[in-house]
């Protein structure tokens, strides 16, 4: 099945590449975030709001991606403008996700976890344990994202991967927000019938 040109084949292929990168990024975010939620919930603690929010936004965006690719391939001309509006809303959502995740994670240095002095490691372990015990089996409790991400090197790197992919998704959605209206107008221009010599 050939890629629809919409009157500008290079832009159309660029948009398709952006969509593929968006889907791959979101699948990775869903995998890491759902793993976090599973690990936290099995210990009887409510997952951090940041992780749950990221997972919710990413799942909704992934569902939309499946629908939008079908509209794109069926050459739904007006659908390009609708997709541009939805992409703009998802761009705002991922900006909020990136900022929310960035607040606690920007101060973490993953390479220093486990490499500090014994006193610093003991203090970090104590803060994590206190946070866990205060939130154990109590409804409405929240384990801080900074505490969870700072508990181990693995958690830290995975948290930063989610944050980095959220920033990448902001860039990708900005690109698709620019490409979609451009494709609409290029297609409209390509499909307008040229004036005949008699009409001139």
């Amino acid at each position: 099945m050939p890629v629809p040109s919409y009157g500008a084949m290079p832009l159309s292929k660029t948009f398709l590449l952006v969509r593929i990168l968006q889907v791959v990024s979101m699948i990775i975010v869903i995998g890491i975030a759902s793993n976090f939620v599973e690990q936290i919930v099995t210990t009887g603690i409510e997952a951090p709001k940041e992780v749950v929010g990221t997972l919710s936004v990413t799942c909704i965006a992934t569902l939309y991606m499946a629908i939008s690719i079908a509209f794109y391939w069926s050459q739904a001309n007006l659908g390009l403008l609708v997709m541009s509006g939805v992409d703009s809303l998802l761009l705002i959502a991922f900006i909020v996700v990136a900022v929310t995740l960035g607040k606690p994670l920007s101060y973490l240095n993953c390479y220093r976890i486990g490499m500090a002095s014994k006193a610093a490691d003991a203090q970090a372990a104590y803060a994590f344990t206190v946070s866990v015990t205060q939130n154990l089996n109590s409804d409405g409790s929240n384990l801080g994202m900074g505490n969870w991400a700072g508990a181990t090197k693995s958690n830290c790197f995975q948290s930063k991967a989610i944050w980095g992919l959220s920033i990448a998704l902001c860039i990708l959605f900005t690109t698709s927000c620019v490409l979609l209206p451009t494709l609409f107008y290029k297609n409209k221009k390509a499909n307008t019938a040229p004036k005949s010599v008699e009409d001139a």
Side-chain angles (χ1 to χ4, degrees):
M1 196 187 267
V3 176
S5 70
Y6 288 102
M9 185 57 88
L11 293 178
S12 184
K13 287 183 177 179
T14 303
F15 173 75
L16 191 59
L17 175 66
V18 166
R19 272 293 191 252
I20 291 167
L21 291 173
Q22 287 170 337
V23 169
V24 169
S25 298
M26 287 189 283
I27 289 171
I28 294 170
V29 168
I30 288 171
I32 296 171
S34 61
N35 183 41
F36 270 177
V37 170
E38 188 269 333
Q39 286 178 1
I40 296 171
V41 170
T42 54
T43 60
I45 305 164
E46 189 175 320
K49 294 176 287 201
E50 297 91 348
V51 177
V52 174
T54 301
L55 189 58
S56 302
V57 168
T58 309
C59 286
I60 291 168
T62 306
L63 176 64
Y64 159 72
M65 286 294 139
I67 296 168
S68 72
I69 290 172
F71 276 102
Y72 166 77
W73 223 275
S74 66
Q75 295 197 8
N77 297 333
L78 193 57
L80 294 175
L81 290 180
V82 173
M83 288 191 301
S84 179
V86 176
D87 278 28
S88 300
L89 294 175
L90 288 174
L91 170 62
I92 293 168
F94 278 107
I95 288 172
V96 171
V97 165
V99 170
T100 305
L101 286 173
K103 284 181 186 177
L105 295 180
S106 61
Y107 298 106
L108 284 177
N109 185 350
C110 298
Y111 294 104
R112 301 198 77 182
I113 296 174
M115 304 280 281
S117 66
K118 289 185 179 183
D121 282 344
Q123 186 178 7
Y126 176 75
F128 181 72
T129 305
V130 167
S131 181
V132 168
T133 54
Q134 287 175 347
N135 294 302
L136 197 60
N137 291 324
S138 57
D139 289 334
S141 61
N142 290 306
L143 178 62
M145 182 67 181
N147 290 334
W148 173 250
T152 66
K153 243 182 203 179
S154 174
N155 286 358
C156 184
F157 282 121
Q158 290 179 45
S159 300
K160 292 227 176 184
I162 293 173
W163 181 35
L165 287 168
S166 299
I167 294 169
L169 283 166
C170 291
I171 295 167
L172 290 169
F173 275 108
T174 301
T175 306
S176 65
C177 286
V178 171
L179 288 174
L180 283 166
T182 307
L183 285 173
F184 173 77
Y185 289 115
K186 287 278 188 183
N187 189 44
K188 189 175 180 182
K189 189 176 179 182
N191 288 334
T192 53
K195 286 187 175 182
S196 65
V197 178
E198 295 172 359
D199 293 339

